[in-house]
Amino acid sequence: EVQVVESGGGSVQAGGSLRLSCAASGYTLSLSNYWMGWFRQAPGKEREGVAGISPGGHRLAYADSVKGRFTISRDNGNNTLYLQMNNLKPEDTARYYCAAALIPLPSGLLAPERIRYWGQGTQVTVSS
């Protein structure tokens, strides 16, 4: 079984940056075949996909709310997924989750109902 664990969350002021990481362990050979992505969920709101990346890392997708500020990347050799978040805004405050799926949405983002592996999440808090 594969486990995915996020790290890198924290508290920053608006305009600041954070880099989230997602490390996979266990039977990770199959992860190179998966689309990977990041979701976030704020209190009282639905979980939303914010970024997705193809198995080889050549296709990237972003939600409009983060486009131009967030960058997703992956290192298949180290079974690690990243999310570089720049120019953070208070509305980015949420718990961020790493996820893996075999089939993405047409946009390249991931659908919650198709997720095979979820991480436990890491909290990001942005103050104004």
Side-chain angles (χ1 to χ4, degrees):
E1 187 65 18
V2 175
Q3 295 82 41
V4 290
V5 179
E6 303 92 335
S7 61
S11 297
V12 296
Q13 290 190 327
S17 298
L18 284 173
R19 189 190 196 203
L20 305 184
S21 298
C22 169
S25 62
Y27 182 65
T28 58
L29 289 178
S30 65
L31 271 187
S32 59
N33 297 321
Y34 281 75
W35 282 74
M36 301 290 294
W38 291 94
F39 288 78
R40 68 185 181 187
Q41 187 167 22
K45 294 188 176 182
E46 291 187 356
R47 190 171 296 191
E48 63 168 337
V50 297
I53 186 168
S54 61
H58 303 297
R59 184 180 171 192
L60 311 178
Y62 299 96
D64 288 342
S65 58
V66 306
K67 200 170 292 184
R69 300 187 298 121
F70 289 12
T71 302
I72 188 171
S73 60
R74 67 191 294 168
D75 181 349
N76 286 338
N78 289 314
N79 297 308
T80 306
L81 178 73
Y82 302 99
L83 186 68
Q84 178 67 44
M85 305 185 295
N86 297 329
N87 191 22
L88 283 161
K89 303 176 180 180
E91 51 265 42
D92 295 319
T93 294
R95 192 164 185 84
Y96 284 71
Y97 298 86
C98 170
L102 285 174
I103 302 173
L105 294 169
S107 65
L109 295 175
L110 305 186
E113 62 271 19
R114 296 178 181 178
I115 298 302
R116 176 65 178 86
Y117 303 110
W118 285 106
Q120 85 292 346
T122 185
Q123 180 66 34
V124 171
T125 303
V126 185
S127 58
S128 58

